[in-house]
Amino acid sequence: MASAQDDPHAGHDMSTMSMGPPDVPTSADNPGRPPEEALPAAALSGPAHAADMIFGAEEMTAARRTLVRENGDVRTTAVIIDRLEAGFGSEDETYLWDVQGWSGGDINRFWWKSEGEGDFGGELEDAELQALYSRAVTPFWDVQAGLRQDFRADGEDTTHLVLGLQGLAPYWWEIDAAAFLSTKGDLTARVEAEYDQRITQRLILQPRMEIEFAASDIPELEIGSGLSSVEAGLRLRYEFRKEFAPYVGVEWSRAFGDTADYIEARGGEAEDTRLVVGLKAWF
């Protein structure tokens, strides 16, 4: 056993030392924190912003608005060309665009989306344009609502109400899901999912899938109830710059149920595979 001379506290009077909780920063209502005196009345008697007395209230109000805008309330605008491509199948050559963009802040935005396709040398088959209000409900998900207008060369144009969810799912899958209610009472839905698998810093392989559903038969649009169609593809793109990336790929599509019957009744094929060449860009 160590002798008293070896004890570093030997001879020290520790009877006056407090054995209570240490004086460390804790919550204000924590009983272990020493009591604090109330603020003097003069501390709250001045203006809400002391700088107003030096630089003027008008100038400082403008400066505070700039501070808020530059630290979380920034307004941005973007245009994303997700797919601008040509497709080559066994019987026809087609073109397609899938473009969207937004304007607004981190929480509230105006979104617009446009898709369309047709045959080279022929008429535009169909096109759609969406105008949406988008609100961020979590850091990775936006709820969107608005209108969709369809344009058809061989049919009646249709207007839809839109309610959707767009964001980033686990494992970095980008999801765009929406339900559409037309002015004729037809209820349909569409889910799109894509994922960027980086092979190198510039070479990216993107699996993509699109699934469509309908609550009832819509004969004039050749859509049957239930699962109506599925598209699945792989696109390999090369980013010359982040904003400019051409790609090549292959896409398979298949119609199901009554949708397939409608297509085959007019002499079409319910299943198709085609080579695609296109461009992905944004600014």
PDB file of all heavy atoms in Angstrom, residues 63-86:
ATOM      1  N   ALA A  63     -31.349  44.845 -45.293  1.00  0.00           N
ATOM      2  CA  ALA A  63     -30.197  43.972 -45.088  1.00  0.00           C
ATOM      3  C   ALA A  63     -30.618  42.634 -44.487  1.00  0.00           C
ATOM      4  O   ALA A  63     -30.077  41.579 -44.851  1.00  0.00           O
ATOM      5  CB  ALA A  63     -29.179  44.661 -44.181  1.00  0.00           C
ATOM      6  N   ARG A  64     -31.592  42.661 -43.561  1.00  0.00           N
ATOM      7  CA  ARG A  64     -32.044  41.394 -42.963  1.00  0.00           C
ATOM      8  C   ARG A  64     -32.782  40.540 -43.981  1.00  0.00           C
ATOM      9  O   ARG A  64     -32.679  39.304 -43.952  1.00  0.00           O
ATOM     10  CB  ARG A  64     -32.921  41.689 -41.738  1.00  0.00           C
ATOM     11  CG  ARG A  64     -32.111  42.107 -40.511  1.00  0.00           C
ATOM     12  CD  ARG A  64     -32.989  42.183 -39.278  1.00  0.00           C
ATOM     13  NE  ARG A  64     -33.893  43.333 -39.330  1.00  0.00           N
ATOM     14  CZ  ARG A  64     -33.576  44.558 -38.890  1.00  0.00           C
ATOM     15  NH1 ARG A  64     -32.368  44.784 -38.380  1.00  0.00           N
ATOM     16  NH2 ARG A  64     -34.445  45.540 -38.956  1.00  0.00           N
ATOM     17  N   ARG A  65     -33.536  41.170 -44.876  1.00  0.00           N
ATOM     18  CA  ARG A  65     -34.204  40.393 -45.924  1.00  0.00           C
ATOM     19  C   ARG A  65     -33.174  39.721 -46.834  1.00  0.00           C
ATOM     20  O   ARG A  65     -33.346  38.568 -47.234  1.00  0.00           O
ATOM     21  CB  ARG A  65     -35.120  41.297 -46.744  1.00  0.00           C
ATOM     22  CG  ARG A  65     -36.430  41.655 -46.063  1.00  0.00           C
ATOM     23  CD  ARG A  65     -37.436  42.160 -47.065  1.00  0.00           C
ATOM     24  NE  ARG A  65     -36.984  43.391 -47.719  1.00  0.00           N
ATOM     25  CZ  ARG A  65     -37.327  44.611 -47.334  1.00  0.00           C
ATOM     26  NH1 ARG A  65     -38.117  44.766 -46.268  1.00  0.00           N
ATOM     27  NH2 ARG A  65     -36.879  45.665 -47.989  1.00  0.00           N
ATOM     28  N   THR A  66     -32.107  40.436 -47.164  1.00  0.00           N
ATOM     29  CA  THR A  66     -31.046  39.850 -47.982  1.00  0.00           C
ATOM     30  C   THR A  66     -30.377  38.691 -47.253  1.00  0.00           C
ATOM     31  O   THR A  66     -30.078  37.646 -47.854  1.00  0.00           O
ATOM     32  CB  THR A  66     -29.992  40.925 -48.324  1.00  0.00           C
ATOM     33  OG1 THR A  66     -30.621  41.987 -49.032  1.00  0.00           O
ATOM     34  CG2 THR A  66     -28.874  40.340 -49.172  1.00  0.00           C
ATOM     35  N   LEU A  67     -30.160  38.828 -45.955  1.00  0.00           N
ATOM     36  CA  LEU A  67     -29.535  37.769 -45.169  1.00  0.00           C
ATOM     37  C   LEU A  67     -30.392  36.504 -45.169  1.00  0.00           C
ATOM     38  O   LEU A  67     -29.883  35.386 -45.335  1.00  0.00           O
ATOM     39  CB  LEU A  67     -29.311  38.250 -43.734  1.00  0.00           C
ATOM     40  CG  LEU A  67     -28.604  37.280 -42.783  1.00  0.00           C
ATOM     41  CD1 LEU A  67     -27.180  37.039 -43.243  1.00  0.00           C
ATOM     42  CD2 LEU A  67     -28.633  37.809 -41.361  1.00  0.00           C
ATOM     43  N   VAL A  68     -31.708  36.664 -45.012  1.00  0.00           N
ATOM     44  CA  VAL A  68     -32.605  35.510 -45.023  1.00  0.00           C
ATOM     45  C   VAL A  68     -32.601  34.849 -46.395  1.00  0.00           C
ATOM     46  O   VAL A  68     -32.547  33.617 -46.518  1.00  0.00           O
ATOM     47  CB  VAL A  68     -34.032  35.950 -44.631  1.00  0.00           C
ATOM     48  CG1 VAL A  68     -35.021  34.817 -44.873  1.00  0.00           C
ATOM     49  CG2 VAL A  68     -34.078  36.382 -43.172  1.00  0.00           C
ATOM     50  N   ARG A  69     -32.630  35.671 -47.452  1.00  0.00           N
ATOM     51  CA  ARG A  69     -32.668  35.120 -48.806  1.00  0.00           C
ATOM     52  C   ARG A  69     -31.402  34.348 -49.141  1.00  0.00           C
ATOM     53  O   ARG A  69     -31.445  33.302 -49.779  1.00  0.00           O
ATOM     54  CB  ARG A  69     -32.884  36.253 -49.807  1.00  0.00           C
ATOM     55  CG  ARG A  69     -33.033  35.764 -51.252  1.00  0.00           C
ATOM     56  CD  ARG A  69     -33.403  36.884 -52.197  1.00  0.00           C
ATOM     57  NE  ARG A  69     -32.338  37.885 -52.313  1.00  0.00           N
ATOM     58  CZ  ARG A  69     -32.374  39.103 -51.783  1.00  0.00           C
ATOM     59  NH1 ARG A  69     -33.435  39.492 -51.084  1.00  0.00           N
ATOM     60  NH2 ARG A  69     -31.369  39.945 -51.944  1.00  0.00           N
ATOM     61  N   GLU A  70     -30.263  34.853 -48.705  1.00  0.00           N
ATOM     62  CA  GLU A  70     -28.990  34.213 -49.038  1.00  0.00           C
ATOM     63  C   GLU A  70     -28.628  33.067 -48.100  1.00  0.00           C
ATOM     64  O   GLU A  70     -27.639  32.376 -48.340  1.00  0.00           O
ATOM     65  CB  GLU A  70     -27.870  35.263 -49.015  1.00  0.00           C
ATOM     66  CG  GLU A  70     -28.009  36.305 -50.109  1.00  0.00           C
ATOM     67  CD  GLU A  70     -26.916  37.351 -50.066  1.00  0.00           C
ATOM     68  OE1 GLU A  70     -26.174  37.362 -49.062  1.00  0.00           O
ATOM     69  OE2 GLU A  70     -26.806  38.139 -51.023  1.00  0.00           O
ATOM     70  N   ASN A  71     -29.412  32.856 -47.074  1.00  0.00           N
ATOM     71  CA  ASN A  71     -29.140  31.765 -46.125  1.00  0.00           C
ATOM     72  C   ASN A  71     -30.373  30.888 -45.945  1.00  0.00           C
ATOM     73  O   ASN A  71     -30.856  30.674 -44.841  1.00  0.00           O
ATOM     74  CB  ASN A  71     -28.680  32.329 -44.780  1.00  0.00           C
ATOM     75  CG  ASN A  71     -27.325  32.986 -44.843  1.00  0.00           C
ATOM     76  OD1 ASN A  71     -26.300  32.342 -44.656  1.00  0.00           O
ATOM     77  ND2 ASN A  71     -27.311  34.282 -45.129  1.00  0.00           N
ATOM     78  N   GLY A  72     -30.893  30.379 -47.062  1.00  0.00           N
ATOM     79  CA  GLY A  72     -31.974  29.415 -46.992  1.00  0.00           C
ATOM     80  C   GLY A  72     -33.208  29.789 -47.761  1.00  0.00           C
ATOM     81  O   GLY A  72     -34.073  28.936 -47.986  1.00  0.00           O
ATOM     82  N   ASP A  73     -33.342  31.017 -48.224  1.00  0.00           N
ATOM     83  CA  ASP A  73     -34.525  31.420 -48.968  1.00  0.00           C
ATOM     84  C   ASP A  73     -34.151  31.821 -50.391  1.00  0.00           C
ATOM     85  O   ASP A  73     -34.690  32.763 -50.952  1.00  0.00           O
ATOM     86  CB  ASP A  73     -35.231  32.573 -48.241  1.00  0.00           C
ATOM     87  CG  ASP A  73     -36.617  32.828 -48.793  1.00  0.00           C
ATOM     88  OD1 ASP A  73     -37.228  31.874 -49.312  1.00  0.00           O
ATOM     89  OD2 ASP A  73     -37.084  33.982 -48.735  1.00  0.00           O
ATOM     90  N   VAL A  74     -33.218  31.091 -50.977  1.00  0.00           N
ATOM     91  CA  VAL A  74     -32.724  31.408 -52.311  1.00  0.00           C
ATOM     92  C   VAL A  74     -33.735  30.935 -53.359  1.00  0.00           C
ATOM     93  O   VAL A  74     -34.271  29.834 -53.275  1.00  0.00           O
ATOM     94  CB  VAL A  74     -31.357  30.739 -52.555  1.00  0.00           C
ATOM     95  CG1 VAL A  74     -30.842  31.052 -53.942  1.00  0.00           C
ATOM     96  CG2 VAL A  74     -30.356  31.197 -51.505  1.00  0.00           C
ATOM     97  N   ARG A  75     -34.020  31.765 -54.344  1.00  0.00           N
ATOM     98  CA  ARG A  75     -34.889  31.401 -55.456  1.00  0.00           C
ATOM     99  C   ARG A  75     -34.030  30.874 -56.603  1.00  0.00           C
ATOM    100  O   ARG A  75     -33.068  31.526 -57.017  1.00  0.00           O
ATOM    101  CB  ARG A  75     -35.701  32.605 -55.922  1.00  0.00           C
ATOM    102  CG  ARG A  75     -36.686  33.128 -54.883  1.00  0.00           C
ATOM    103  CD  ARG A  75     -37.794  32.095 -54.662  1.00  0.00           C
ATOM    104  NE  ARG A  75     -38.831  32.613 -53.773  1.00  0.00           N
ATOM    105  CZ  ARG A  75     -38.864  32.443 -52.477  1.00  0.00           C
ATOM    106  NH1 ARG A  75     -37.881  31.779 -51.884  1.00  0.00           N
ATOM    107  NH2 ARG A  75     -39.865  32.906 -51.747  1.00  0.00           N
ATOM    108  N   THR A  76     -34.368  29.695 -57.110  1.00  0.00           N
ATOM    109  CA  THR A  76     -33.611  29.087 -58.198  1.00  0.00           C
ATOM    110  C   THR A  76     -34.554  28.682 -59.319  1.00  0.00           C
ATOM    111  O   THR A  76     -35.752  28.478 -59.106  1.00  0.00           O
ATOM    112  CB  THR A  76     -32.835  27.849 -57.725  1.00  0.00           C
ATOM    113  OG1 THR A  76     -33.756  26.897 -57.182  1.00  0.00           O
ATOM    114  CG2 THR A  76     -31.806  28.211 -56.681  1.00  0.00           C
ATOM    115  N   THR A  77     -33.991  28.541 -60.503  1.00  0.00           N
ATOM    116  CA  THR A  77     -34.734  28.087 -61.681  1.00  0.00           C
ATOM    117  C   THR A  77     -33.881  27.072 -62.416  1.00  0.00           C
ATOM    118  O   THR A  77     -32.660  27.272 -62.552  1.00  0.00           O
ATOM    119  CB  THR A  77     -35.082  29.257 -62.603  1.00  0.00           C
ATOM    120  OG1 THR A  77     -35.918  30.183 -61.904  1.00  0.00           O
ATOM    121  CG2 THR A  77     -35.822  28.778 -63.849  1.00  0.00           C
ATOM    122  N   ALA A  78     -34.494  25.987 -62.870  1.00  0.00           N
ATOM    123  CA  ALA A  78     -33.753  24.944 -63.578  1.00  0.00           C
ATOM    124  C   ALA A  78     -34.617  24.352 -64.683  1.00  0.00           C
ATOM    125  O   ALA A  78     -35.853  24.309 -64.565  1.00  0.00           O
ATOM    126  CB  ALA A  78     -33.303  23.845 -62.623  1.00  0.00           C
ATOM    127  N   VAL A  79     -33.964  23.906 -65.733  1.00  0.00           N
ATOM    128  CA  VAL A  79     -34.600  23.155 -66.821  1.00  0.00           C
ATOM    129  C   VAL A  79     -33.817  21.870 -66.993  1.00  0.00           C
ATOM    130  O   VAL A  79     -32.590  21.908 -67.156  1.00  0.00           O
ATOM    131  CB  VAL A  79     -34.630  23.955 -68.136  1.00  0.00           C
ATOM    132  CG1 VAL A  79     -35.200  23.102 -69.258  1.00  0.00           C
ATOM    133  CG2 VAL A  79     -35.450  25.235 -67.968  1.00  0.00           C
ATOM    134  N   ILE A  80     -34.513  20.721 -66.948  1.00  0.00           N
ATOM    135  CA  ILE A  80     -33.865  19.417 -67.043  1.00  0.00           C
ATOM    136  C   ILE A  80     -34.420  18.682 -68.256  1.00  0.00           C
ATOM    137  O   ILE A  80     -35.619  18.396 -68.321  1.00  0.00           O
ATOM    138  CB  ILE A  80     -34.113  18.576 -65.780  1.00  0.00           C
ATOM    139  CG1 ILE A  80     -33.612  19.318 -64.539  1.00  0.00           C
ATOM    140  CG2 ILE A  80     -33.437  17.213 -65.904  1.00  0.00           C
ATOM    141  CD1 ILE A  80     -33.995  18.648 -63.250  1.00  0.00           C
ATOM    142  N   ILE A  81     -33.550  18.406 -69.217  1.00  0.00           N
ATOM    143  CA  ILE A  81     -33.923  17.563 -70.355  1.00  0.00           C
ATOM    144  C   ILE A  81     -33.534  16.142 -69.971  1.00  0.00           C
ATOM    145  O   ILE A  81     -32.383  15.730 -70.133  1.00  0.00           O
ATOM    146  CB  ILE A  81     -33.201  18.016 -71.637  1.00  0.00           C
ATOM    147  CG1 ILE A  81     -33.510  19.492 -71.924  1.00  0.00           C
ATOM    148  CG2 ILE A  81     -33.617  17.153 -72.821  1.00  0.00           C
ATOM    149  CD1 ILE A  81     -32.710  20.064 -73.071  1.00  0.00           C
ATOM    150  N   ASP A  82     -34.479  15.400 -69.424  1.00  0.00           N
ATOM    151  CA  ASP A  82     -34.174  14.060 -68.931  1.00  0.00           C
ATOM    152  C   ASP A  82     -33.963  13.085 -70.082  1.00  0.00           C
ATOM    153  O   ASP A  82     -33.048  12.259 -70.051  1.00  0.00           O
ATOM    154  CB  ASP A  82     -35.310  13.579 -68.024  1.00  0.00           C
ATOM    155  CG  ASP A  82     -34.889  12.418 -67.164  1.00  0.00           C
ATOM    156  OD1 ASP A  82     -33.732  12.390 -66.722  1.00  0.00           O
ATOM    157  OD2 ASP A  82     -35.717  11.513 -66.929  1.00  0.00           O
ATOM    158  N   ARG A  83     -34.815  13.177 -71.096  1.00  0.00           N
ATOM    159  CA  ARG A  83     -34.673  12.317 -72.283  1.00  0.00           C
ATOM    160  C   ARG A  83     -35.064  13.122 -73.523  1.00  0.00           C
ATOM    161  O   ARG A  83     -36.163  13.647 -73.602  1.00  0.00           O
ATOM    162  CB  ARG A  83     -35.570  11.083 -72.190  1.00  0.00           C
ATOM    163  CG  ARG A  83     -35.182  10.076 -71.133  1.00  0.00           C
ATOM    164  CD  ARG A  83     -36.134   8.891 -71.159  1.00  0.00           C
ATOM    165  NE  ARG A  83     -37.489   9.278 -70.792  1.00  0.00           N
ATOM    166  CZ  ARG A  83     -38.584   8.584 -71.107  1.00  0.00           C
ATOM    167  NH1 ARG A  83     -38.486   7.472 -71.827  1.00  0.00           N
ATOM    168  NH2 ARG A  83     -39.787   8.993 -70.702  1.00  0.00           N
ATOM    169  N   LEU A  84     -34.154  13.201 -74.456  1.00  0.00           N
ATOM    170  CA  LEU A  84     -34.426  13.732 -75.791  1.00  0.00           C
ATOM    171  C   LEU A  84     -33.824  12.719 -76.744  1.00  0.00           C
ATOM    172  O   LEU A  84     -32.624  12.718 -76.987  1.00  0.00           O
ATOM    173  CB  LEU A  84     -33.781  15.113 -75.962  1.00  0.00           C
ATOM    174  CG  LEU A  84     -34.028  15.812 -77.301  1.00  0.00           C
ATOM    175  CD1 LEU A  84     -35.516  16.064 -77.525  1.00  0.00           C
ATOM    176  CD2 LEU A  84     -33.241  17.117 -77.377  1.00  0.00           C
ATOM    177  N   GLU A  85     -34.669  11.823 -77.276  1.00  0.00           N
ATOM    178  CA  GLU A  85     -34.098  10.636 -77.905  1.00  0.00           C
ATOM    179  C   GLU A  85     -34.860  10.195 -79.149  1.00  0.00           C
ATOM    180  O   GLU A  85     -36.039  10.543 -79.358  1.00  0.00           O
ATOM    181  CB  GLU A  85     -34.046   9.478 -76.910  1.00  0.00           C
ATOM    182  CG  GLU A  85     -35.379   8.914 -76.493  1.00  0.00           C
ATOM    183  CD  GLU A  85     -35.253   7.825 -75.429  1.00  0.00           C
ATOM    184  OE1 GLU A  85     -34.328   7.896 -74.597  1.00  0.00           O
ATOM    185  OE2 GLU A  85     -36.104   6.902 -75.425  1.00  0.00           O
ATOM    186  N   ALA A  86     -34.157   9.407 -79.934  1.00  0.00           N
ATOM    187  CA  ALA A  86     -34.712   8.721 -81.096  1.00  0.00           C
ATOM    188  C   ALA A  86     -34.691   7.229 -80.814  1.00  0.00           C
ATOM    189  O   ALA A  86     -33.745   6.712 -80.211  1.00  0.00           O
ATOM    190  CB  ALA A  86     -33.904   9.048 -82.346  1.00  0.00           C
TER     191      ALA A  86
END
